[in-house]
Amino acid sequence: MKLLAFCTGILVFSVLGLTAQPGFEILKDVKKIEIPFEFKNNLIIVNVTFGRIFPLKFIFDTGAENTILSERHITDLLGVTYEREFKILGSDMKTELTAYLVRGIHLRIEDMVVPNHSLLVLEADYFHLDEMMGLQIHGILGADIFKGLVVKINYERRVITLTKNRGAKFSDEGYFALPILVERNKPYLETGIRIQTDSVIRVKLLLDTGAMLSLLLNTETHPDLKPPPHAIKGNIGAGLGGFIEGYLGRVSALEFGELACREVLTNFQELPEGIDTAMLRGRNGIIGNEVLSRFFVVIDYPAQMLYLKPNRSYEDEFEFDKSGLVVIAANVHLNQFLLHSVLPGSPAAVAGLLPGDEIRWLNHSPAGLFSLERIHQILKKKEGKKITMVVRRNGEKIKFSFQLRKLV
């Protein structure tokens, strides 16, 4: 089963020598900058004006060291020079990708102007977010933009605030303070997890706003990081360059000092045979937006501190698809929906649905009225919910019905 949990922060090879204007210099004339964002499919999406011309959408990504453009035709149109070619390793840690260094790019993110930036341009669109997520995304905004700043993310108001308040204290505002490590512009939290309820495993986790998943653990990095019983085996996510293989299950608790998230949906990644785990730089996994969005989040890069305060979503259950379907979007309008895969033995499989079926009607409404995100929400509804679906198969329309059932 391909459980599509997109993740950019798994990108392994960093690129050295990019001459980026430090984030601190961006705020030299103002105290703070507020950047509104959309929160779609658990991804933070910001509007970026690229090269003073192109209005694009980028993922705000604390898990990426460098800013990346996935649409090479844009820099081709601008006539920029591709200075160097890099080979980088994709999210599956085995697919080699090609990227090019470009310099002198003017970026504007709301009121923040980055006048002369260096970034990477992918040779091809390895993201494929349009079909997997139903979103038009053109790149990722890496930490080279906001390093050296205090980054405050309000998931409820959908706004990022950048300030220069070095060493600011947030305890008076109800935040819990946790030390972090900032390595190559990326923030890591050393904390504890409980896969079962009996013992705590100490782990080093990347705080990754470029990951729509909850928690990912690399099984080969610690002898106790084993999937729990009844975990689902298959492709657990999609990232830059490929699918991520492993298991999907739940951990009993993910600790944040005095706070903890319970029964957290967790992707257990199986690394390719022979891979050198030293490339992970001591990291055991990733904390993504499905967890981070349950808090008011402050990452103080200069002081290497993380501040968390629970928001209204803090105690919500971690929901997962209860149908057994992976649905992708097709055509230029992203309003044609195809079944990418069907989990054997799941409610949808028992009903007779097959990969390649095109959804025409869902719960008595035309499929064109939905977004891919809304379809995902419907397939996560409470156990026992009846789903009716009319699909087109080989030119014929066929009606199916099934009841949602908890799979993980």
Side-chain angles (χ1 to χ4, degrees):
M1 180 180 183
K2 294 180 169 42
L3 312 174
L4 299 184
F6 182 75
C7 183
T8 59
I10 306 173
L11 187 67
V12 175
F13 288 165
S14 299
V15 178
L16 301 176
L18 296 195
T19 54
Q21 181 176 359
F24 187 81
E25 291 301 315
I26 294 171
L27 292 180
K28 61 183 179 181
D29 298 322
V30 295
K31 291 184 177 180
K32 68 177 182 180
I33 287 176
E34 290 193 343
I35 302 172
F37 64 85
E38 298 176 83
F39 196 55
K40 299 286 189 181
N41 284 316
N42 284 328
L43 291 173
I44 297 175
I45 302 168
V46 298
N47 294 319
V48 176
T49 303
F50 192 93
R52 293 187 173 90
I53 299 173
F54 298 101
L56 306 180
K57 291 187 179 294
F58 277 52
I59 297 170
F60 184 86
D61 192 354
T62 59
E65 182 178 345
N66 304 113
T67 295
I68 298 175
L69 176 71
S70 63
E71 306 279 347
R72 180 178 171 175
H73 67 274
I74 292 173
T75 42
D76 286 345
L77 288 171
L78 290 173
V80 302
T81 300
Y82 299 100
E83 296 190 9
R84 294 171 58 190
E85 178 182 307
F86 294 92
K87 297 298 182 181
I88 57 180
L89 198 61
S91 302
D92 59 354
M93 298 189 67
K94 60 184 179 182
T95 304
E96 190 177 77
L97 313 175
T98 301
Y100 302 94
L101 171 65
V102 300
R103 301 181 189 272
I105 302 297
H106 186 281
L107 302 176
R108 185 181 186 96
I109 307 102
E110 297 300 327
D111 292 330
M112 181 172 72
V113 176
V114 187
N116 188 31
H117 199 61
S118 300
L119 50 85
L120 295 176
V121 179
L122 300 181
E123 183 179 52
D125 182 8
Y126 301 113
F127 289 137
H128 299 298
L129 275 176
D130 50 355
E131 64 178 38
M132 291 190 296
M133 307 301 165
L135 300 172
Q136 290 284 357
I137 300 295
H138 306 96
I140 58 178
L141 205 63
D144 52 354
I145 296 287
F146 45 86
K147 64 181 180 181
L149 300 175
V150 178
V151 178
K152 188 172 184 178
I153 306 173
N154 188 323
Y155 287 90
E156 291 189 343
R157 288 185 52 224
R158 306 286 197 261
V159 65
I160 299 162
T161 304
L162 305 178
T163 69
K164 295 185 290 187
N165 296 334
R166 292 174 178 261
K169 306 299 182 184
F170 293 89
S171 55
D172 293 342
E173 300 177 34
Y175 284 85
F176 292 85
L178 297 166
I180 58 174
L181 301 171
V182 177
E183 300 175 353
R184 298 169 76 119
N185 300 339
K186 298 191 286 190
Y188 296 87
L189 175 68
E190 295 182 345
T191 189
I193 61 168
R194 295 177 184 266
I195 295 181
Q196 305 294 319
T197 58
D198 51 350
S199 62
V200 177
I201 305 169
R202 301 301 299 179
V203 289
K204 178 182 177 181
L205 302 174
L206 174 66
L207 301 172
D208 186 4
T209 61
M212 58 183 293
L213 47 77
S214 305
L215 177 66
L216 181 143
L217 299 174
N218 296 114
T219 55
E220 284 84 353
T221 63
H222 193 289
D224 295 329
L225 294 181
K226 299 184 185 338
H230 311 299
I232 298 174
K233 180 175 174 57
N235 290 321
I236 57 174
L240 184 56
F243 288 106
I244 306 163
E245 298 178 357
Y247 293 81
L248 183 78
R250 292 181 185 268
V251 302
S252 176
L254 169 61
E255 299 179 350
F256 296 98
E258 299 177 38
L259 304 171
C261 291
R262 309 289 179 184
E263 294 299 314
V264 181
L265 275 170
T266 303
N267 299 276
F268 292 84
Q269 183 182 16
E270 293 184 325
L271 301 179
E273 186 176 352
I275 196 75
D276 183 4
T277 57
M279 289 189 299
L280 295 174
R281 304 178 62 84
R283 185 184 76 200
N284 301 109
I286 286 170
I287 299 174
N289 274 326
E290 179 64 22
V291 166
L292 295 174
S293 63
R294 294 157 188 262
F295 299 92
F296 298 96
V297 177
V298 179
I299 303 174
D300 186 338
Y301 281 87
Q304 300 196 67
M305 292 294 295
L306 171 70
Y307 298 91
L308 297 175
K309 181 168 64 173
N311 62 26
R312 290 175 293 183
S313 302
Y314 174 61
E315 296 185 352
D316 289 353
E317 292 185 12
F318 289 87
E319 295 288 355
F320 181 67
D321 165 74
K322 297 183 179 72
S323 69
L325 295 174
V326 171
V327 185
I328 61 174
N331 77 31
V332 294
H333 302 292
L334 301 176
N335 61 357
Q336 180 186 14
F337 304 108
L338 305 176
L339 304 189
H340 181 277
S341 59
V342 183
L343 179 67
S346 66
V350 172
L353 288 157
L354 297 174
D357 288 346
E358 178 191 350
I359 302 174
R360 301 295 295 171
W361 289 75
L362 178 60
N363 288 351
H364 312 293
S365 296
L369 297 179
F370 296 97
S371 65
L372 186 58
E373 182 179 31
R374 179 58 183 152
I375 291 176
H376 290 161
Q377 291 170 350
I378 291 171
L379 298 180
K380 290 180 180 179
K381 286 186 176 292
K382 65 180 181 179
E383 196 166 15
K385 170 74 174 177
K386 184 178 180 180
I387 301 294
T388 60
M389 190 174 288
V390 176
V391 304
R392 187 201 302 269
R393 180 187 297 169
N394 299 324
E396 180 184 0
K397 291 184 179 179
I398 311 172
K399 183 177 180 180
F400 297 90
S401 64
F402 55 88
Q403 289 183 310
L404 298 179
R405 172 168 53 85
K406 190 172 182 179
L407 301 174
V408 181

